[in-house]
Amino acid sequence: MAAPLLLKGIPLLRLRLQRYNCLSARIISSPCRPWCAAADPTGHQDEVSSSEKSSVVLTVKDPPKYHRWDDPDYRKWKDKEEEMLRDIEPIISLVKEILHSSRYMDGERLTVADEETVVEKLLRHHPHSEDKIGCGFDCIMVDRHPQFRHSRCLFVVRTDGGWIDFSYQKCLRAYIRDKYPSHAERFIREHFKRGSG
């Protein structure tokens, strides 16, 4: 039993050894320089190569630039951002579980409880929900996207048997813009992928 565990750790050990060798080679080959400008009592600095000049190095002169936590506007934004995340987190978790777990097979309709939640929290906020529903709503189904076969998505199944996909991210964006109009664009810019609506 110990042998398989030992064999599993060998690639990890090799990786660590390679990193250690690379790190020690850099330390030995690099010229000895102070960690910051304040530690150099003579005020002289060694010649720096062009590759070292192009890399960003923090010194005592350039402290890290963090947002000012004492700024009341920034604090208000962070509080609102946290509230918005708490608001949408349950529906995002549900949709990701529906799409990325084995809970539903391709072509399977959602349970009544999941369907009600998806319709109430997502579909009704879609910018084109009337067009998606079309002649009438029958159910919500999960399946592979017709063009992007590796992606699973949600579909509205209409009463005439037709079905059309809808983006849960578009639904969430519309919901956020409606409920949090003054903070929506910043939140969307910081928390949603670009180009998806």
Side-chain angles (χ1 to χ4, degrees):
M1 189 72 174
L5 292 176
L6 182 62
L7 293 176
K8 287 182 181 178
I10 288 175
L12 183 59
L13 183 60
R14 282 188 189 138
L15 180 63
R16 286 182 182 165
L17 188 58
Q18 285 175 340
R19 286 184 181 171
Y20 175 79
N21 289 338
C22 290
L23 179 63
S24 62
R26 274 190 252 142
I27 291 172
I28 292 169
S29 66
S30 66
C32 183
R33 295 189 317 175
W35 286 97
C36 67
D40 187 6
T42 63
H44 300 292
Q45 292 189 0
D46 296 337
E47 286 297 317
V48 179
S49 70
S50 62
S51 64
E52 288 176 326
K53 285 180 184 177
S54 66
S55 65
V56 177
V57 177
L58 293 178
T59 65
V60 174
K61 296 174 189 172
D62 302 321
K65 295 176 181 160
Y66 296 108
H67 295 286
R68 295 186 53 192
W69 288 96
D70 56 340
D71 180 7
D73 290 336
Y74 183 72
R75 188 73 251 158
K76 285 179 190 173
W77 158 245
K78 293 309 279 182
D79 290 342
K80 186 55 84 171
E81 178 185 39
E82 188 176 322
E83 175 189 336
M84 295 164 80
L85 286 169
R86 277 193 316 267
D87 185 19
I88 65 171
E89 192 275 328
I91 190 65
I92 289 175
S93 295
L94 175 65
V95 170
K96 286 185 177 185
E97 182 183 347
I98 289 169
L99 294 176
H100 304 298
S101 74
S102 59
R103 184 172 170 184
Y104 290 101
M105 301 301 292
D106 291 344
E108 190 175 352
R109 69 183 289 171
L110 303 187
T111 63
V112 173
D114 286 348
E115 184 176 289
E116 286 175 359
T117 304
V118 168
V119 169
E120 178 64 28
K121 302 283 185 179
L122 292 176
L123 184 58
R124 77 183 193 109
H125 298 287
H126 194 284
H128 306 289
S129 61
E130 294 85 18
D131 296 335
K132 298 289 181 179
I133 293 171
C135 64
F137 175 83
D138 182 32
C139 66
I140 301 289
M141 172 181 74
V142 63
D143 205 347
R144 300 272 171 195
H145 193 278
Q147 288 178 311
F148 311 105
R149 297 302 298 171
H150 296 290
S151 298
R152 287 175 43 130
C153 55
L154 296 170
F155 291 87
V156 174
V157 179
R158 299 174 177 158
T159 53
D160 65 355
W163 43 282
I164 187 167
D165 67 313
F166 68 97
S167 167
Y168 79 91
Q169 290 201 359
K170 282 184 183 178
C171 299
L172 285 172
R173 281 189 186 86
Y175 171 76
I176 290 166
R177 286 183 177 117
D178 185 47
K179 187 167 182 183
Y180 307 99
S182 60
H183 300 284
E185 295 311 315
R186 181 175 182 179
F187 184 85
I188 290 167
R189 189 173 54 249
E190 292 184 16
H191 292 281
F192 286 84
K193 294 182 210 173
R194 294 176 197 196
S196 55

